Amino acid sequence: MPRLNLVPEYMKNFSCTGSACEDTCCFGWTVPIDKKTFDKYKTLKDKKLKTRIYKSLRRNKMETSFSEYATIKMGHDGYCPHLNQDKLCSLQLKLGERFLSHVCSTYPREYNVVFGDYELSGAISCPEVARLALLNPDGMKFEKTDEKINTSFYDRQLEDESLAEHFYPLREFVIELLQNRTYTIPERLLLVGVFIRKLSAVIELEEMDEIPDIIASFKEELQGGSVLEALADLPVRTEAQFVILQTLTSDYVNKWKTEVSPRYFQYYRQINEVISGSVDRYQEAYAKYYAPYMEQHEYLMENYLVNYTFTRLFPFMMSSDVWDDYVGMVLHYALVKMHLIGVSAYYQKLDHELAINMIYSYSRLYEHNSSYFEWALEELKKDEFDTMEFMVYLIKNE
């Protein structure tokens, strides 16, 4: 049985809120059924239930992975056909958790395997995880454990032996940068970008042994204050930020509109109602609502970025290029910020409840679509918007 190695402390306090949850995790997503679970249904003695279950499944005949042997066919309304009127899983209630697929039995828990060690984190797309992870003013902490876990599945795996010696120091340093409250969140993200640029050059030359020196020298540069000074002259372009984020959002919703949850679509319509096409209203809402809230609660975005770093095995998971991974992180940050600015303009306020509801709604739509990053990155690259200069445009507001 596998053992758990590392876990953020907030997961110790997590438990599903069930029918009390303000949303449901049984809408819109593709739900894979692993072969082991698929075969379990054959053992059911209740023939009526067995027939109903198999009618709800679509066999993935071209899929070679046993983890995605079949998928659940969502109803015309987008909801899982096994969801009852109390927003609970009828299969779990009738058969128990062992008849659930890996995805259904573990979500919102996410398991990564890092050089043979299991790590556990939580998906921000779950409102309860979002509250526990993001609303901690003391920042996210992690703990070592030797707990046995009852799963052989995982969401992501890192096994490139050339990274084995360097991954943990790199991730620790990135999290250290993101949690350094000497700097604002935009400054921390820019510092991570400068560091990733240096790291990218070393990796491209396959000089992995230089990584410890890169970290050490960057720490020295931070003490001297020269890193941010080099970025100070890059202009802030709020209009460019607004236009590209609005375009990406509208194109995305139109492209994957069948997967848009009712709550997110409600916010999307509200945002468009008050700021669509108006950079002035966007900037006004930033100054009047978003900035004052973040001045008092900047830890919320800090925790979002740290959880993203840990869960996504940043910067070695989303693509084969560490700079592309950084662009992905900035893009998610900028889109979260844009959505928060938008809903604050509509409600003329920004508080914890509104922030959490917006972020988890955003996460369940954008972060769970495996095609999103590739599509968005390609869109940015078409216009050469994947540069450090443009990252400044996305990160900073006036």
Side-chain angles (χ1 to χ4, degrees):
M1 186 175 289
R3 293 180 182 272
L4 197 59
N5 178 47
L6 200 59
V7 59
E9 286 185 350
Y10 69 80
M11 287 303 294
K12 295 189 301 183
N13 299 317
F14 171 75
S15 62
C16 177
T17 58
S19 57
C21 183
E22 59 264 58
D23 212 322
T24 175
C25 50
C26 304
F27 175 90
W29 293 337
T30 299
V31 179
I33 302 295
D34 55 273
K35 189 176 187 305
K36 185 177 180 181
T37 303
F38 187 90
D39 289 342
K40 277 182 183 179
Y41 298 141
K42 295 178 183 178
T43 67
L44 293 176
K45 296 180 180 179
D46 186 332
K47 293 183 178 180
K48 186 176 180 181
L49 177 60
K50 183 193 296 188
T51 300
R52 179 165 69 87
I53 291 174
Y54 277 113
K55 279 186 176 180
S56 73
L57 301 180
R58 180 184 290 111
R59 175 76 171 84
N60 295 334
K61 294 183 180 179
M62 300 300 291
E63 178 58 58
T64 59
S65 169
F66 281 172
S67 63
E68 298 184 10
Y69 192 75
T71 54
I72 294 178
K73 294 184 289 187
M74 294 295 175
H76 294 300
D77 57 1
Y79 289 91
C80 176
H82 303 297
L83 191 69
N84 69 17
Q85 61 184 9
D86 296 319
K87 297 194 300 180
L88 297 173
C89 176
S90 60
L91 295 185
Q92 181 176 0
L93 290 173
K94 188 172 184 65
L95 302 173
E97 187 174 323
R98 71 186 189 91
F99 278 86
L100 297 180
S101 70
H102 165 68
V103 169
C104 293
S105 63
T106 59
Y107 178 84
R109 299 164 186 86
E110 297 200 1
Y111 291 97
N112 294 334
V113 179
V114 183
F115 308 115
D117 290 329
Y118 270 73
E119 296 183 344
L120 168 66
S121 56
I124 298 297
S125 52
C126 165
E128 182 65 7
V129 168
R131 279 187 286 268
L132 292 172
L134 304 185
L135 295 182
N136 181 3
D138 297 325
M140 197 169 294
K141 295 179 176 64
F142 303 87
E143 66 174 31
K144 285 270 192 179
T145 176
D146 198 30
E147 173 190 347
K148 291 182 179 180
I149 52 174
N150 186 25
T151 183
S152 58
F153 289 92
Y154 53 85
D155 296 281
R156 301 170 190 87
Q157 184 177 31
L158 187 60
E159 54 183 352
D160 184 345
E161 288 302 321
S162 67
L163 301 173
E165 182 182 350
H166 307 294
F167 172 72
Y168 289 110
L170 277 170
R171 182 169 66 177
E172 183 179 336
F173 179 59
V174 169
I175 290 177
E176 181 183 317
L177 281 176
L178 291 172
Q179 292 184 324
N180 188 337
R181 297 184 180 181
T182 304
Y183 308 101
T184 65
I185 287 293
E187 288 173 336
R188 294 179 228 176
L189 261 181
L190 291 174
L191 288 173
V192 171
V194 176
F195 174 73
I196 294 296
R197 266 297 187 211
K198 294 176 181 289
L199 176 64
S200 179
V202 168
I203 292 176
E204 188 174 341
L205 294 172
E206 298 184 356
E207 296 177 346
M208 300 301 209
D209 291 341
E210 298 293 321
I211 290 177
D213 291 335
I214 292 291
I215 295 175
S217 63
F218 196 82
K219 288 182 177 180
E220 290 181 7
E221 292 179 50
L222 280 178
Q223 292 178 347
S226 60
V227 184
L228 284 177
E229 289 177 8
L231 298 171
D233 294 333
L234 290 177
V236 178
R237 298 279 175 81
T238 304
E239 185 172 2
Q241 174 191 124
F242 178 70
V243 170
I244 190 62
L245 294 177
Q246 282 268 289
T247 302
L248 283 175
T249 303
S250 61
D251 288 352
Y252 178 81
V253 170
N254 289 330
K255 188 175 180 66
W256 281 285
K257 57 187 173 185
T258 57
E259 299 177 8
V260 178
S261 70
R263 181 180 286 272
Y264 175 83
F265 196 63
Q266 171 192 329
Y267 287 140
Y268 178 76
R269 291 199 313 268
Q270 291 170 347
I271 291 170
N272 282 334
E273 181 180 326
V274 293
I275 67 169
S276 180
S278 175
V279 67
D280 290 335
R281 287 197 291 272
Y282 177 75
Q283 185 59 19
E284 179 185 3
Y286 170 83
K288 194 171 182 179
Y289 307 116
Y290 179 89
Y293 173 80
M294 284 300 167
E295 283 177 9
Q296 298 297 317
H297 312 289
E298 200 169 35
Y299 57 81
L300 182 141
M301 290 303 272
E302 172 193 302
N303 290 334
Y304 173 83
L305 290 168
V306 171
N307 197 70
Y308 181 98
T309 299
F310 184 79
T311 303
R312 299 298 185 93
L313 302 177
F314 179 84
F316 295 116
M317 197 64 243
M318 289 180 66
S319 75
S320 58
D321 187 307
V322 294
W323 178 253
D324 284 355
D325 272 22
Y326 173 70
V327 173
M329 173 189 276
V330 170
L331 185 58
H332 280 299
Y333 164 81
L335 284 168
V336 167
K337 177 177 63 173
M338 186 272 287
H339 280 83
L340 290 176
I341 292 171
V343 294
S344 74
Y346 182 86
Y347 289 98
Q348 297 185 21
K349 66 175 184 177
L350 188 57
D351 56 23
H352 284 346
E353 181 179 4
L354 189 55
I356 292 299
N357 285 340
M358 183 70 261
I359 291 174
Y360 95 74
S361 300
Y362 164 87
S363 176
R364 67 178 292 138
L365 179 63
Y366 289 78
E367 294 183 15
H368 283 265
N369 188 326
S370 60
S371 302
Y372 168 69
F373 173 75
E374 291 83 359
W375 171 80
L377 184 63
E378 190 61 33
E379 291 297 304
L380 291 178
K381 286 184 173 181
K382 282 179 185 177
D383 298 309
E384 299 182 348
F385 285 161
D386 59 332
T387 64
M388 189 68 211
E389 181 179 10
F390 191 74
M391 294 302 100
V392 176
Y393 297 170
L394 291 181
I395 292 169
K396 296 185 71 173
N397 289 67
E398 294 176 316

